[in-house]
Amino acid sequence: MPRPGDGAPRAVTLIPGDGIGPLVTGAVEQVMEAMHAPLYFERYEVHGDMERVPEEVIQSIKKNKVCLKGGLATPMGGGVSSLNVQLRRELDLYASLVNCFNLPGLPTRHQDVDIVVIRENTEGEYSGLEHEVVPGVVESLKLITKFCSERIAKYAFEYAYLNNRKKVTAVHKANIMKLADGLFLESCREVSTKYPGIKYNEIIVDNCCMQLVSKPEQFDVMVTPNLYGNLVANTAAGIAGGTGVMPGGNVGADHAVFEQGASAGNVGNVNLVEQKKANPVALLLSSAMMLRHLQFPSFADRLETAVERVISDGKYRTKDLGGTSTTQEVIDAVIAALD
């Protein structure tokens, strides 16, 4: 595999996706070109109404090890499964990481928010094990395994250890789901004993949501089963500035897919697409995470610094951040702010 310094640019699989996806992935392409980042994109058209992710796309990600994607719209109900979930399973992207933090100059209700939500990405309620027992009665199975619970707990504690984080909080509902969430908690407790320098605590998911909106600064790293992680990450993102500015990635032992951190609820927002006013910040910051993952930290620092300058300056912001700028105006401002 090419390493930094050998002169070979890295190939990255690019999936523009649906709705605002092509707008915001296009933003990343422009900024990467302006920075002369040592990578190039292999573009594939994938859309949420497809039955499955094309095999050539899977093979491209397996070859390149890294992918950047826009949102893929998931049809509600019916028999079409989520391509996002398919990708995670096919590539065993077992950890979702969303960093929710205050951006300088962006006013929010709470300050000093810097939360990393690490979510188990392959099982739980997203296992897709549903069937109709009799007409009018549907059974949906929540699958929790010790292997996956230990694996995500180890990832969370290792992340905390390597990034000088002080505390890991396990989110659960073991007071009701005593076996499933009980197994998750048991796994987290076992792993925590191997990291004596990191404080460990537990919180029930409903209390967690209340605490997030009242005192979010108390949280550091949070480790969760699949469904709770989705809810917690979106709540934390809303507190820290909105889903339009929160970066994230899905990682496994061999592959990584970077995308907007919290759920892209505006993927299908027709007005944003028509007016070309989608916020590119989340995906720009996710691409900085990708650059760091590729071991190009100086490029990641340049990109993050430029984005923070634009946000702090306040002149160019999209509607979700209280401004009127178009996607392109924000991109041009970020490029101008690059060192």
Side-chain angles (χ1 to χ4, degrees):
M1 180 184 294
R3 306 310 302 163
D6 68 359
R10 288 292 302 274
V12 174
T13 305
L14 178 67
I15 301 174
D18 297 314
I20 68 167
L23 263 180
V24 292
T25 54
V28 173
E29 288 183 283
Q30 288 184 55
V31 173
M32 291 295 169
E33 184 176 349
M35 285 201 302
H36 304 290
L39 56 81
Y40 63 94
F41 292 108
E42 294 180 358
R43 176 191 292 263
Y44 291 90
E45 291 298 324
V46 181
H47 301 287
D49 57 0
M50 293 178 171
E51 286 192 9
R52 12 183 333 99
V53 179
E55 183 59 28
E56 61 181 358
V57 179
I58 298 293
Q59 292 307 316
S60 173
I61 300 173
K62 286 182 175 179
K63 171 177 67 77
N64 296 332
K65 310 293 185 188
V66 178
C67 171
L68 183 74
K69 67 180 279 291
L72 293 173
T74 301
M76 300 295 177
V80 181
S81 63
S82 166
L83 296 193
N84 296 305
V85 174
Q86 279 186 32
L87 261 181
R88 294 168 197 161
R89 283 198 196 141
E90 187 79 29
L91 300 169
D92 196 24
L93 304 171
Y94 67 85
S96 165
L97 187 150
V98 180
N99 191 188
C100 302
F101 56 94
N102 292 122
L103 281 163
L106 185 63
T108 57
R109 188 181 297 270
H110 297 279
Q111 298 304 312
D112 302 318
V113 177
D114 187 5
I115 302 169
V116 176
V117 181
I118 294 174
R119 160 192 174 195
E120 204 293 318
N121 224 6
T122 60
E123 55 178 23
E125 293 85 351
Y126 287 61
S127 301
L129 301 174
E130 295 184 311
H131 64 278
E132 189 173 45
V133 183
V134 295
V137 179
V138 172
E139 187 173 53
S140 180
L141 302 180
K142 170 178 175 171
L143 184 68
I144 298 285
T145 65
K146 188 170 183 64
F147 172 80
C148 288
S149 298
E150 282 187 348
R151 183 169 65 166
I152 197 66
K154 286 176 184 174
Y155 184 91
F157 276 94
E158 195 65 13
Y159 179 91
Y161 175 70
L162 293 174
N163 290 277
N164 197 30
R165 296 279 181 159
K166 307 303 182 187
K167 181 170 70 171
V168 172
T169 301
V171 183
H172 67 93
K173 192 65 178 172
N175 57 324
I176 302 298
M177 281 167 272
K178 299 182 185 295
L179 290 178
D181 284 22
L183 178 59
F184 175 79
L185 272 190
E186 177 188 313
S187 302
C188 290
R189 288 169 184 166
E190 287 178 9
V191 172
S192 73
T193 62
K194 297 170 182 161
Y195 295 84
I198 297 171
K199 184 179 177 183
Y200 169 70
N201 67 345
E202 301 165 357
I203 189 168
I204 296 172
V205 63
D206 38 357
N207 182 33
C208 173
C209 292
M210 188 273 287
Q211 295 288 337
L212 267 174
V213 298
S214 56
K215 273 183 65 181
E217 64 277 2
Q218 69 184 287
F219 296 107
D220 191 353
V221 174
M222 307 176 78
V223 60
T224 79
N226 208 333
L227 178 62
Y228 309 155
N230 193 11
L231 306 177
V232 167
N234 278 272
T235 304
I239 289 162
T243 59
V245 294
M246 298 301 145
N250 302 282
V251 301
D254 301 310
H255 313 97
V257 175
F258 295 90
E259 59 187 329
Q260 183 169 322
S263 294
N266 55 5
V267 161
N269 190 317
V270 177
N271 289 335
L272 286 178
V273 177
E274 290 177 348
Q275 296 169 15
K276 300 188 186 307
K277 289 189 173 182
N279 191 345
V281 169
L283 202 65
L284 287 171
L285 293 176
S286 297
S287 64
M289 288 175 64
M290 178 185 74
L291 286 167
R292 201 161 274 116
H293 176 81
L294 291 169
Q295 298 183 30
F296 299 129
S298 61
F299 287 91
D301 290 342
R302 282 181 66 204
L303 178 51
E304 286 172 344
T305 301
V307 171
E308 287 172 3
R309 281 178 183 165
V310 172
I311 294 292
S312 180
D313 180 57
K315 187 176 179 183
Y316 297 100
R317 291 181 182 174
T318 48
K319 185 178 180 181
D320 59 312
L321 302 183
T324 58
S325 301
T326 64
T327 307
Q328 190 60 49
E329 286 170 343
V330 175
I331 299 165
D332 292 341
V334 170
I335 292 172
L338 289 168
D339 284 329

